[in-house]
Amino acid sequence: MTEANTPCIRFDLERPKRIGLPEAVFCEGKPRRALHTLLSRFAGQPQTPILFTRLPQDVFNSFEEEITRAYDYDALSRTAWNAVMPKRTQGRAAVVSAGTADGAVAREVSRTLTYLGWTCRRFEDCGVAGLWRIQSVIEDINKADVVVVAAGLDAALASVLGGLTERPLIAVPTSVGYGVAQGGHAALSSMLSSCAPGVSVMNIDNGYGAACAAARILNAIYPAGK
Amino acid sequence: MTEANTPCIRFDLERPKRIGLPEAVFCEGKPRRALHTLLSRFAGQPQTPILFTRLPQDVFNSFEEEITRAYDYDALSRTAWNAVMPKRTQGRAAVVSAGTADGAVAREVSRTLTYLGWTCRRFEDCGVAGLWRIQSVIEDINKADVVVVAAGLDAALASVLGGLTERPLIAVPTSVGYGVAQGGHAALSSMLSSCAPGVSVMNIDNGYGAACAAARILNAIYPAGK
Amino acid sequence: MTEANTPCIRFDLERPKRIGLPEAVFCEGKPRRALHTLLSRFAGQPQTPILFTRLPQDVFNSFEEEITRAYDYDALSRTAWNAVMPKRTQGRAAVVSAGTADGAVAREVSRTLTYLGWTCRRFEDCGVAGLWRIQSVIEDINKADVVVVAAGLDAALASVLGGLTERPLIAVPTSVGYGVAQGGHAALSSMLSSCAPGVSVMNIDNGYGAACAAARILNAIYPAGK
Amino acid sequence: MTEANTPCIRFDLERPKRIGLPEAVFCEGKPRRALHTLLSRFAGQPQTPILFTRLPQDVFNSFEEEITRAYDYDALSRTAWNAVMPKRTQGRAAVVSAGTADGAVAREVSRTLTYLGWTCRRFEDCGVAGLWRIQSVIEDINKADVVVVAAGLDAALASVLGGLTERPLIAVPTSVGYGVAQGGHAALSSMLSSCAPGVSVMNIDNGYGAACAAARILNAIYPAGK
Amino acid sequence: MTEANTPCIRFDLERPKRIGLPEAVFCEGKPRRALHTLLSRFAGQPQTPILFTRLPQDVFNSFEEEITRAYDYDALSRTAWNAVMPKRTQGRAAVVSAGTADGAVAREVSRTLTYLGWTCRRFEDCGVAGLWRIQSVIEDINKADVVVVAAGLDAALASVLGGLTERPLIAVPTSVGYGVAQGGHAALSSMLSSCAPGVSVMNIDNGYGAACAAARILNAIYPAGK
Amino acid sequence: MTEANTPCIRFDLERPKRIGLPEAVFCEGKPRRALHTLLSRFAGQPQTPILFTRLPQDVFNSFEEEITRAYDYDALSRTAWNAVMPKRTQGRAAVVSAGTADGAVAREVSRTLTYLGWTCRRFEDCGVAGLWRIQSVIEDINKADVVVVAAGLDAALASVLGGLTERPLIAVPTSVGYGVAQGGHAALSSMLSSCAPGVSVMNIDNGYGAACAAARILNAIYPAGK
Amino acid sequence: MTEANTPCIRFDLERPKRIGLPEAVFCEGKPRRALHTLLSRFAGQPQTPILFTRLPQDVFNSFEEEITRAYDYDALSRTAWNAVMPKRTQGRAAVVSAGTADGAVAREVSRTLTYLGWTCRRFEDCGVAGLWRIQSVIEDINKADVVVVAAGLDAALASVLGGLTERPLIAVPTSVGYGVAQGGHAALSSMLSSCAPGVSVMNIDNGYGAACAAARILNAIYPAGK
Amino acid sequence: MTEANTPCIRFDLERPKRIGLPEAVFCEGKPRRALHTLLSRFAGQPQTPILFTRLPQDVFNSFEEEITRAYDYDALSRTAWNAVMPKRTQGRAAVVSAGTADGAVAREVSRTLTYLGWTCRRFEDCGVAGLWRIQSVIEDINKADVVVVAAGLDAALASVLGGLTERPLIAVPTSVGYGVAQGGHAALSSMLSSCAPGVSVMNIDNGYGAACAAARILNAIYPAGK
């Protein structure tokens, strides 16, 4: 058997200066060995906060305690960090989800925002089959500066919410559902076709990206003292 | 050139006895010659009511006045009949649509129900981008025995309505929209994935079929004196 | 590791008043922990009947006996209830399926109808490759008030049945098959394109939804004494 | 502008020896100039029978009378020939179609079979929404050696017929329909998924190919005196 | 022939209060008669600014001069308005496009932003096949508060731009291209899968929606004195 | 837990009389319990030959020896029979495959033909990347009465073979491949679009169906003494 | 109506230095006005050779003679140039096509190669339904340095050719065909799945791109004296 | 149980003479038994170099040491060889990849090139979210004779690279990503639609094929002494 395949990873250390967002490690598809190298490298370096996304619990737990102890790992969202970015004193995001099964994606949104230093509030179980759910919290949602909505199936919540808030609204389809909804494709099409104007959309299950899009907006409203 | 292709059409005259619905003529894809033969055959026979669907206006108008005069033709829904079925004294359908562009399909629903003898009421422009629209008419909608909803784009109206009515609810996606909504596919997926329980769905733009499904239900509630 | 993710679930207790159907718990995609919380909560409360759908047998069996004992669980349909709704004295549904492999979906239909209090009769193995099968039971099927048909592959049974019954007919494609039939997409397209008029369609494998659609119709024919 | 693009066409004159079928000219996508060259070349050569398929009527009529007079052109099937192959004394095909709109494809089947020298009988308007239609002619259909069925929409006729005949059965989906049936894709999927065993399928609208497949079978039963 | 189909249109006059954006009229799919009614109604009412999108030039030009004179119509973007919203004194959007063929969509973005009162600057022909194009203008782009990028084909510009700006970035796929790029589907998938974090996406060709999403963000940064 | 779900299976015993082919049991998707019932029922009845298809080896092996001993099981094709149909003295099929990975499907074809009583010869590894492979066996292939070709990936073998044989040719796409070939969809499209005339096609991996189609043709050439 | 939309086009004049290929103008989707500007600009500048692709004949002919006279326009390939690049003395491409209908794409390949200064030879009508066609010219094809193959339908020619030549082989699917072959998607999938190793593929109908890919290879074999 | 299914494999020993590339064994979908036979056959024959692709590590490791010891197996790329082809003294390929997750495919490219005797250099982690990555190595990349680029997600790297190199450029989409990028389909569409001219594309994850395409080009530049 040939020599080890040590991943040659070149970190984009200037990224925060260019786009206001640090690099994160997307773990899906990366060999276990590469993940080990990366987690080890940042384990004792809280001064360089780093976020790992889509890191499966069994993989994370299989590493030595020296590594896992250095990270804050969340099983539902499959995210881990060694430290978070400096806390912002202003700016708030609302993360709204339709059903319990959308919780993993919504939590990836809120975890990423927390990691980036922003405050965010979760509004769970707001599906439109019972309109009172969204109507009873809409006033609180509108107190946020930016709104992220996560929904699967028909994703009708995105359109209804788009008609109830004037905030920037970022929609994340989730891969919840079966049949034509399998993999989140019905939700994606529905959100892209929203009858409410100005709803912008992320890839299916891309909670991390939605948080970054929200952070770009929060940064625009409350610029950091660069 | 070879001999004329006279269509050999075998009418299903026993259909009303079997399924409570008369045969209709779906005109799309039928050669102009065949349509002429069929329209001529039933022109002077109001005692045998027949419905033509998807009959383009320019084709209809190209026939001799003797034929066109014998029919009630509606350009928006592209339907024509020589006579309607006996009027039912009980039973009412509500036909709800999201936007003006859904009007052609919604009208095919109401025209077909009228042809079949049932009363129906149209509720236009009820899209959920402004929830007050559907909320201001929901009480009237719920007075009907069965509800048909026609919507394109995200078709969120079907889910919202499904959470506001206990009536049998038949959803017809319309081919309104562009990009991922083109051809009505986003609306179809969304309706099939509705988070409201018990919404059943027709093929895209199939207003005729939705009316037949509604008529099957009305027949079940108010059986004809067979 | 961060704190536990207790699901915040907001039950739609007014749903029966609004739409005549109680809320159900769709288990797919929900974390095991959330299912445990939900099953525990309703275990000793037969006065609040609740239905769980898509609950895998191994997950259900992994819970403590105190919980499992409180539920009527059916492995084929993956449904569980703590109690059923009051039995209706009138109204009957027929549930027709094409092949043995469609049995799981057909059973989700009949289990849900039973839970909702309606009587239903199953007609199994009626596929059209041998027309005598459906013809030998059509008379009995027509004694029902509403008919649900579950079929995979070409789903030709839905069209044939649509030409043999005047009852409201709800078609559920099943994910039975391989190649172009994989996932039930051929059956879905076929049912939506049915040459028989007035066949309405549910999402693939959505036996629960078909039962709800049937219950909406039965409710319309035999209104409960609300 | 550069010099004329005379098509360089190399006829496969040995094809009948190899596969028992002569070459035909598929006209779709060929420039008008190329069609003119081809039609001219064979206009006065009845001893070399040739078939043109998918030749639009307006294109054909635009050529000089000297050419058009030399061909037997059929507008419905858009086929033309200068002469037919020697008539076979034995062997018969049945061509069954579901609705009037399937007539163009069914006619391409029968025209091609006629061109190839085989006898064929058409059975029109046999759609399964009224089962009596196919049942009233099944005995006659079974007198043929091979059966071709053309249907669009749900194409349920192919499955039903597959359960009623022991003959080799070739199914041609037609591009009749709209929504999910648009372009014949629902019919194609349905035929490929037929619950009746041994139904083989052609590309959508490929009546010419279906006739060739039938001719291969007829050739196998009644070999020509090569 | 039956009575005229006057569209019953219910304007959402409270929409600006709810979501900060006025209603607009999407013209595609609406019958010519309905468009005439709508354009007439607002022709003499500059105090009620209204925007028409996807209004084809030949339809617009076919109306009487009394109507057309009252509107500012732009043929490339197919937009018309009777008046614009009050001009905002702060806030700027950049609209970047890849090629000349993306110009129609980019112009729908800039026209809609102009209508909504926001300043916007166009950056044309920035496709990444020549990286110097985007690099030579990136500094100016970064002076805007929000960036919209319109691109078809591979839409690689969205990802490259996402790595060069920290501004909120809204990506609109355009239906430019053929083969797998036809209808903008390659561009849509590419943008949704962007390797740059926080790029949010609109439906194909939805320049109007992108402008609304940008306006939501500009509103959040520079709130109007409501 | 509720009572056992004994499958109600209604055998189509008249099928051979109607269509010349006995019923077979498609095992995929059927619960293990149902398969056990079926295998038990026919275990000791060689006078009623029955074929099981898509029966996984681990499921088969899990049954008691009393059952497994009664069947001829083949792991590659996942088929089992208790006995074969009477051997036909005339008629021969050729089964041609492109690569080793197509072997499972090709073997389902040959096993089914053997079960039905027909003689068949396998031609393996004939892929067109080396044309000499098919050319070196074409003479032997042409000695058969009917030819079945199984291929995945680009399925070019079907077209090449279609130009080299005058026999009836049935093409089965196999689910061999990855990327755009995944699941056999590239092969299916390619076979349906074959440039060789008269190639008819089965669903992906449907070796059983291809054998039945071949048997229909063999039956037509060499009719059984019914 | 607002001011004229003069396209702001920024030519990539350094492109030849970077990638060895000059910029070309893709005309599809560009407004007529923009095409006029571009054609005018280069009309009298043979010292700056430029290629226009996908320029429809009716658009080209609609311009003033002063412009059209300055270009060499080819209607079949819809290409135009004002002058060609310096002729290369070495290096030859072979362009092979399957049927007459693939001629437009094949001609776009040869026209682009001619424009770029390379010699190329066309091999028409080589479809594999008659293998002798490709076999009779393969020796000549192998005299070229690089081979481009254009085919629609099943595109089996690409695989067969891939097994007969050791030259770099670039495959272009053409949008020839109907049903599953419509738009060239079957050909694209087939070529990407080719069982012959090392066949690389272009987008459907992208003859221009195939020529550029061939030119990159020819440049690598016979480097220009830069 | 019936007799063993020994695979009948017919090696294409003349392939190198015809196309300059030896046959390789694609292991996916081949039964374990067949792989064992093949690996055994070539284990002690370094004079006949052979390459196995898509050979899973657990399958390889399950064979007896006598076999595994004879092969150079690489787990990341799942390739094995018993010996490599004679080393070429001239010619170099560059293999560029976007992210760590694309490493498996990129390594299949480099392993195959090594097996074929060509020198190749890997450039890892060059994704365009940080343009400096590709810009810092482009000079070195341009020293190669041919370039292969492997990327998933939006595959924007292929287009950017296409605008920065004049070398023949072969793009391999990788199945890295989720949602619309799942299975590599977004990357494939993006690469086929590349705005940079002359980028040719392989099937998703087809690193082996990309290496063969590169080898065809290298062979053309530096012909072996045949």
Side-chain angles (χ1 to χ4, degrees), chain E residues 48-183:
Chain E
T48 309
I50 189 147
L51 178 71
F52 292 79
T53 65
R54 300 215 163 204
L55 177 56
Q57 185 164 21
D58 57 341
V59 172
F60 180 76
N61 287 343
S62 74
F63 294 128
E64 49 272 49
E65 209 206 321
E66 197 180 324
I67 290 176
T68 57
R69 207 176 32 201
Y71 286 90
D72 179 313
Y73 180 78
D74 174 69
L76 184 62
S77 61
R78 293 178 297 158
T79 50
W81 62 55
N82 56 350
V84 299
M85 310 284 290
K87 179 104 187 131
R88 298 298 186 103
T89 53
Q90 277 183 300
R92 191 158 55 160
V95 180
V96 186
S97 54
T100 309
D102 304 313
V105 173
R107 194 160 175 85
E108 194 187 52
V109 180
S110 61
R111 287 270 300 174
T112 302
L113 282 165
T114 301
Y115 164 73
L116 294 171
W118 298 102
T119 300
C120 99
R121 182 163 167 205
R122 287 276 286 108
F123 297 86
E124 295 182 71
D125 221 8
C126 299
V128 300
L131 271 183
W132 60 271
R133 283 170 173 155
I134 185 70
Q135 287 173 325
S136 69
V137 292
I138 187 65
E139 209 172 321
D140 279 348
I141 290 172
N142 280 332
K143 286 178 188 152
D145 296 286
V146 60
V147 182
V148 177
V149 56
L153 297 170
D154 57 3
L157 177 58
S159 292
V160 168
L161 194 46
L164 294 175
T165 185
E166 63 175 345
R167 301 293 168 232
L169 181 55
I170 298 156
V172 201
T174 67
S175 58
V176 169
Y178 56 93
V180 299
Q182 185 136 42

Side-chain angles (χ1 to χ4, degrees), chain C residues 127-131 134-135 153-156 159-160 162-164 178 180-181 185-186 188-197, chain D residues 127-131 134-135 153-156 159-160 162-164 178 180-181 185-186 188-197:
Chain C
V128 300
L131 270 184
I134 185 67
Q135 287 173 325
L153 297 169
D154 56 1
S159 293
V160 168
L164 294 174
Y178 57 93
V180 298
H185 290 278
L188 174 62
S189 295
S190 176
M191 284 170 163
L192 285 168
S193 311
S194 176
C195 58
Chain D
V128 300
L131 272 183
I134 186 69
Q135 287 173 325
L153 296 170
D154 57 3
S159 293
V160 168
L164 294 175
Y178 57 93
V180 299
H185 290 279
L188 173 64
S189 296
S190 176
M191 283 169 164
L192 286 167
S193 309
S194 176
C195 59

Side-chain angles (χ1 to χ4, degrees), chain D residues 62-183:
Chain D
S62 75
F63 294 128
E64 50 270 50
E65 211 205 318
E66 198 180 323
I67 290 177
T68 57
R69 207 175 34 200
Y71 287 90
D72 180 315
Y73 180 77
D74 174 70
L76 184 61
S77 60
R78 294 177 295 159
T79 51
W81 62 56
N82 57 350
V84 298
M85 309 284 289
K87 179 109 189 124
R88 298 300 186 101
T89 53
Q90 275 183 302
R92 188 159 55 160
V95 180
V96 186
S97 54
T100 310
D102 303 313
V105 173
R107 193 159 175 89
E108 194 187 53
V109 180
S110 61
R111 286 271 300 175
T112 303
L113 283 164
T114 301
Y115 165 72
L116 294 169
W118 299 102
T119 300
C120 100
R121 183 165 166 203
R122 287 275 287 106
F123 298 86
E124 294 182 72
D125 220 10
C126 299
V128 300
L131 272 183
W132 59 270
R133 285 170 172 154
I134 186 69
Q135 287 173 325
S136 69
V137 292
I138 187 64
E139 211 172 319
D140 278 349
I141 290 171
N142 280 332
K143 286 177 188 152
D145 296 286
V146 59
V147 182
V148 177
V149 56
L153 296 170
D154 57 3
L157 177 59
S159 293
V160 168
L161 194 47
L164 294 175
T165 184
E166 65 174 342
R167 301 294 167 233
L169 180 57
I170 298 156
V172 200
T174 68
S175 59
V176 169
Y178 57 93
V180 299
Q182 187 135 40

